[in-house]
Amino acid sequence: MKSVMDAKTHDRPLTTAIRQSLGILSISLLMPGIAFAGNLDAISTERSADGSILVHFKLSEPLSGSPDNFQIDNPARLAIDLPGTENKTGERTQKIDLGPVKSLIMAEAGGKTRVVFNLTQATPYGINSQGNELTVTFKPTAIGSKTAAGVAVSTTAANNPITAMDRGQNIDFRRAEDGAGRLLIQTSGPNAPMKMRREGSNIIIDLPNTRVEAGRFDVKDFATPVENVDVRPMGNGSRVTLQTRNAGEHLAYQTDNRLVVEVKPVPQNQGAQNVGEKKFTGERLTLKFQDIQIRPLLQLIADFTGNNIVVSDDVKGSISLRLENVPWDQALDLILVTKGLSMRKNGNVMYVAPTADIVARDKAELEARQQTQQLAPLITDIVQINYAKADDIYKLLESTSKTKQGGGSTDGKAALDTSQRFISDRGNITVDARSNSLIITDTAGALDRIRDLVKKLDKPVRQVLIETRIVIATDNFARQLGVRWGVTGTGTGQGNTYMASGNANATNTMVNNVASGVAPGIPALANRFNFNTPISGAPTGGLGLAILGSNVLLDLELSALQSEGSGEIVSSPKVITTNGHPALISQGTEIPYIATQTAGGVASNTVSFKKAVLSTEVTPQITPNNNIIMDINVKKDEPDYTNMLPGSTNPPINTREVKTKVEVKNGETVVLGGIYQFQNTNKVNKVPFLGDLPGLGNLFKDREINKQRLELLIFVTPKIIDSNQQLVSDSN
């Protein structure tokens, strides 16, 4: 609704009329000369025993008529018109902050005073007029009434059968109609302490005196910005972490013993905003004016926001605008941009001037500040470094002071520094390595900045004890069965002599004996076996049998071997180091290796050494939740003298190594890796064809079975040590 203004409307009635438009309805033209019959002298508030909020208006005389009133829901406000009344309280706004009532704004127009209540939500109310006092009563909202998200919060879980957690727990999760996720926590009382903050995409709620059953709950199926709810104990209370995705605003409120944390999704239009686009969060208002002066309009916005305003004399002109339900800071920004103005805010005071004047003023203030620094006296002070190295702090301060743009300007003025510097141009720092101190000469302001920085950086670094256990387990099994037998004999027929034995050497010996005219004799045992399939090692059991006839000798030997063995080697290196610093511990031998080199036809030996050590190299990093991230390299090398090459004195080296990066909870043990080897060998040596005969074939072959098993496991246990050299418990 447009209002037509002239020069006479620039007095107080105009200002109050403009302010009334900020409440609920557009304003009509105000005519001068309106008379008021009574005065509004005082306003008081109280809370009754049943929780109702009472606002009392003290009048100089009874109202001339019944007060008109109406209420809107978005934004939640109540407007009451006091006919024939003039505001004599000396205030146009009053902060209440009781129950659903935040504040009230008063404006005079059309022979009446309009009182607009700003509410947190639409609330039942009543108006009672008795004599010279008018009372507005705001009744308490029922527990089961709708919240700002539009879904009722009930004290019993039975009203909502869809929950993410088990019944009986003091934590529950639900989905609101607008897609917001709502976490409900049962507390010990209506005023339970709570701290809430946001870290990246996580929302962390600390409940110092409220114990919530620990666990991790997946709530993705609810289709809200909250994906997981992680609860763990923290001291005497609990910490609840909400892992979110595409989360917008979050808020928390408490009803009786029920704490509600609500996470709203990002509005669809907000996700499409460009980088650097302005965001406005002020309370919404409506402005409808035709050709209104800028100065009273700015004064009106200042009254609405509760800020003081200083307007430059160069701010002139008028503007026509129609804004419906927009944030007040957006409305102010539109007005300033349209008229080429800028604003600087200091506390609750706003200063508005043309943009060029603001820029010139900022530049002059900066130049004056720099000139003050140039004239400030220099002070020499000694800053003691307790935990860090003074040289490291010195390098940090020097690096932050080297970024400076330009050395001068064409207009003769000093170039402006664009970086936040700790040391001024006139300052100087010297390191005293003997006392681990910094000797600083600079202005008082620079010294304060440096001391504040050193106080934040010079803190004791926690230490970490790394315990490593390397376990090597072996298990061996071997079984062998062998047989050797042979037939040696002589015979004659048709004038011929026949001889048989294990090999040609045996028969040759017998033939030579007969040719010499003596008996054939018995050859050596090793030459009498026709079938020779013994075991490869020294037998643990054997049986020899020989049968000698008139012309025949039968030799038989059975041998057997079975061996079993198991072993376990445990190595446990330990090392302690400060957070973020590498540490190495090793133990072993250096093995000499001989190499032969020939130069000019002359051979010479050179000796080099190769390490075979057990070592642990680790760099720990302690996270804020007392977990430990480790870059770790565990190695175990040992010489193997049993497998040297023939003719060589250089043993091979068995190498076992694990190199990885892992995150472990404080005091817990993690298996970095394991190697499992299993070797199963079945070997048969036999005489062709005869060894394949059923039953009898066992006399012509030997069997060998070997089974070997090797297991390698590497365990790591990190433990945090505090400044008192005490182990830190994971519950801290």
Side-chain angles (χ1 to χ4, degrees):
M1 180 175 183
K2 297 182 179 179
S3 300
V4 181
M5 307 293 179
D6 54 17
K8 295 182 179 181
T9 63
H10 295 166
D11 54 9
R12 182 183 178 190
L14 171 62
T15 305
T16 56
I18 297 175
R19 187 180 301 108
Q20 184 182 0
S21 70
L22 295 174
I24 299 174
L25 300 178
S26 58
I27 223 48
S28 300
L29 175 65
L30 302 179
M31 300 301 296
I34 296 177
F36 294 93
N39 299 328
L40 173 59
D41 297 329
I43 301 175
S44 62
T45 59
E46 65 173 322
R47 185 196 295 268
S48 64
D50 62 352
S52 299
I53 307 301
L54 284 71
V55 182
H56 304 285
F57 295 91
K58 185 68 175 179
L59 306 172
S60 61
E61 58 183 63
L63 293 176
S64 59
S66 300
D68 295 331
N69 61 89
F70 55 92
Q71 187 179 28
I72 62 174
D73 293 336
N74 189 18
R77 289 177 182 165
L78 169 66
I80 299 176
D81 290 337
L82 306 179
T85 303
E86 184 178 4
N87 180 16
K88 292 295 185 179
T89 62
E91 297 179 351
R92 296 191 180 98
T93 63
Q94 182 170 336
K95 193 174 182 179
I96 298 177
D97 284 338
L98 289 176
V101 185
K102 296 190 296 184
S103 61
L104 61 82
I105 302 175
M106 293 176 289
E108 301 163 5
K112 59 185 177 182
T113 297
R114 170 163 293 181
V115 182
V116 179
F117 291 92
N118 296 316
L119 309 175
T120 59
Q121 63 183 43
T123 305
Y125 67 95
I127 301 175
N128 182 27
S129 179
Q130 292 184 351
N132 294 355
E133 184 172 298
L134 176 72
T135 302
V136 181
T137 303
F138 295 92
K139 299 179 180 179
T141 305
I143 295 178
S145 64
K146 289 189 175 181
T147 65
V151 174
V153 178
S154 175
T155 58
T156 59
N159 294 335
N160 192 343
I162 304 178
T163 61
M165 293 75 172
D166 297 333
R167 298 291 178 82
Q169 288 185 338
N170 53 352
I171 185 172
D172 197 3
F173 188 84
R174 302 177 185 176
R175 185 182 190 276
E177 292 180 352
D178 61 352
R182 181 173 293 136
L183 181 69
L184 297 91
I185 302 174
Q186 197 73 21
T187 61
S188 58
N191 296 316
M194 183 268 294
K195 295 181 180 179
M196 183 170 61
R197 68 183 188 275
R198 190 163 191 164
E199 293 183 358
S201 61
N202 293 338
I203 299 174
I204 300 176
I205 304 104
D206 289 335
L207 307 170
N209 296 323
T210 301
R211 272 290 189 184
V212 183
E213 184 172 349
R216 183 179 177 86
F217 309 97
D218 187 348
V219 294
K220 295 186 182 71
D221 294 341
F222 284 77
T224 71
V226 183
E227 294 188 340
N228 292 285
V229 179
D230 183 68
V231 184
R232 70 179 186 92
M234 187 184 67
N236 295 328
S238 302
R239 169 169 288 181
V240 182
T241 302
L242 304 181
Q243 297 179 358
T244 65
R245 185 172 182 270
N246 295 330
E249 298 179 353
H250 65 279
L251 56 94
Y253 54 90
Q254 189 166 4
T255 306
D256 291 337
N257 293 354
R258 178 65 60 86
L259 175 65
V260 182
V261 180
E262 189 171 290
V263 182
K264 297 182 179 181
V266 177
Q268 294 182 358
N269 58 349
Q270 182 176 345
Q273 287 181 340
N274 296 325
V275 177
E277 185 175 350
K278 297 180 180 179
K279 296 181 180 180
F280 303 100
T281 59
E283 190 174 356
R284 295 181 178 272
L285 53 79
T286 298
L287 295 174
K288 301 177 183 178
F289 295 108
Q290 180 70 31
D291 197 23
I292 183 174
Q293 293 294 319
I294 296 296
R295 300 174 69 87
L297 182 58
L298 295 175
Q299 180 64 48
L300 177 63
I301 295 178
D303 290 343
F304 179 79
T305 60
N307 293 310
N308 299 315
I309 190 169
V310 177
V311 182
S312 171
D313 293 338
D314 295 331
V315 176
K316 301 176 181 178
S318 60
I319 189 173
S320 298
L321 70 163
R322 176 187 176 91
L323 302 176
E324 295 271 0
N325 196 29
V326 298
W328 71 264
D329 47 355
Q330 184 179 10
L332 177 61
D333 182 73
L334 290 172
I335 295 171
L336 297 179
V337 171
T338 302
K339 304 304 292 184
L341 305 174
S342 294
M343 183 266 292
R344 292 292 181 268
K345 189 173 182 181
N346 185 5
N348 65 340
V349 178
M350 295 188 301
Y351 173 70
V352 179
T355 301
D357 295 349
I358 293 288
V359 173
R361 181 188 177 195
D362 291 345
K363 185 176 180 180
E365 289 182 356
L366 183 58
E367 291 177 348
R369 195 180 308 119
Q370 287 188 336
Q371 291 178 1
T372 301
Q373 290 182 352
Q374 294 296 327
L375 298 176
L378 296 179
I379 303 173
T380 300
D381 197 0
I382 299 177
V383 178
Q384 178 67 46
I385 308 299
N386 299 317
Y387 303 102
K389 290 184 178 180
D391 189 62
D392 294 339
I393 301 295
Y394 166 76
K395 293 177 182 178
L396 177 64
L397 295 174
E398 281 294 314
S399 63
T400 57
S401 301
K402 291 181 179 179
T403 305
K404 184 177 180 181
Q405 291 186 353
S409 59
T410 56
D411 58 0
K413 297 182 180 180
L416 300 182
D417 232 333
T418 60
S419 62
Q420 176 61 46
R421 306 181 61 225
F422 292 97
I423 306 174
S424 67
D425 293 335
R426 303 163 61 203
N428 181 55
I429 298 181
T430 304
V431 177
D432 182 15
R434 184 184 61 83
S435 62
N436 199 40
S437 303
L438 297 177
I439 304 174
I440 305 174
T441 301
D442 213 326
T443 62
L447 285 174
D448 291 340
R449 291 196 303 269
I450 294 174
R451 281 193 171 276
D452 184 63
L453 177 64
V454 171
K455 183 179 179 181
K456 295 178 180 178
L457 296 179
D458 188 26
K459 294 183 179 180
V461 181
R462 292 193 289 179
Q463 301 180 99
V464 181
L465 173 65
I466 310 295
E467 299 181 3
T468 306
R469 289 182 294 278
I470 304 173
V471 181
I472 302 175
T474 59
D475 190 2
N476 300 319
F477 173 81
R479 175 184 293 170
Q480 299 182 38
L481 293 174
V483 59
R484 296 194 299 175
W485 66 279
V487 178
T488 301
T490 62
T492 59
Q494 298 179 0
N496 297 321
T497 300
Y498 302 96
M499 299 177 186
S501 190
N503 55 35
N505 291 330
T507 56
N508 182 58
T509 301
M510 296 170 66
V511 168
N512 290 334
N513 290 338
V514 172
S516 300
V518 298
I522 299 175
L525 177 63
N527 296 327
R528 297 204 303 266
F529 292 114
N530 302 94
F531 303 98
N532 192 4
T533 55
I535 64 175
S536 59
T540 57
L543 175 63
L545 178 64
I547 301 175
L548 179 62
S550 59
N551 293 316
V552 177
L553 173 62
L554 174 63
D555 295 296
L556 175 64
E557 180 187 81
L558 299 178
S559 58
L561 169 66
Q562 179 170 322
S563 63
E564 297 181 17
S566 62
E568 185 175 288
I569 302 176
V570 179
S571 305
S572 182
K574 298 181 181 180
V575 63
I576 187 171
T577 182
T578 56
N579 182 32
H581 289 76
L584 171 65
I585 183 172
S586 64
Q587 180 212 353
T589 59
E590 289 191 354
I591 303 172
Y593 279 78
I594 300 176
T596 302
Q597 296 180 349
T598 302
V602 179
S604 61
N605 294 332
T606 59
V607 180
S608 61
F609 291 86
K610 186 172 183 180
K611 291 183 178 181
V613 298
L614 166 66
S615 65
T616 298
E617 184 177 3
V618 60
T619 303
Q621 176 186 346
I622 302 175
T623 63
N625 59 352
N626 275 354
N627 287 356
I628 303 170
I629 300 175
M630 295 180 294
D631 288 308
I632 188 166
N633 184 14
V634 181
K635 181 186 296 186
K636 181 176 176 60
D637 299 341
E638 57 185 0
D640 186 2
Y641 291 99
T642 62
N643 293 315
M644 289 192 301
L645 295 176
S648 173
T649 60
N650 300 331
I653 296 179
N654 294 332
T655 300
R656 302 174 181 92
E657 182 179 8
V658 172
K659 186 175 183 180
T660 184
K661 185 173 185 177
V662 64
E663 180 176 357
V664 187
K665 290 185 178 180
N666 178 34
E668 292 192 357
T669 300
V670 63
V671 181
L672 290 186
I675 299 175
Y676 181 82
Q677 287 181 319
F678 184 81
Q679 182 178 356
N680 190 357
T681 304
N682 291 321
K683 184 179 180 182
V684 177
N685 298 317
K686 62 184 178 180
V687 177
F689 179 71
L690 296 178
D692 295 329
L693 294 177
L696 294 177
N698 293 326
L699 298 175
F700 303 96
K701 61 184 175 183
D702 71 86
R703 292 188 180 90
E704 181 178 347
I705 298 175
N706 283 307
K707 294 182 180 179
Q708 294 182 352
R709 186 179 64 182
L710 172 66
E711 291 183 82
L712 170 64
L713 296 175
I714 299 177
F715 303 86
V716 174
T717 304
K719 298 178 181 179
I720 300 175
I721 301 176
D722 60 14
S723 58
N724 297 323
Q725 300 301 312
Q726 300 293 325
L727 294 177
V728 177
S729 174
D730 183 52
S731 60
N732 291 342

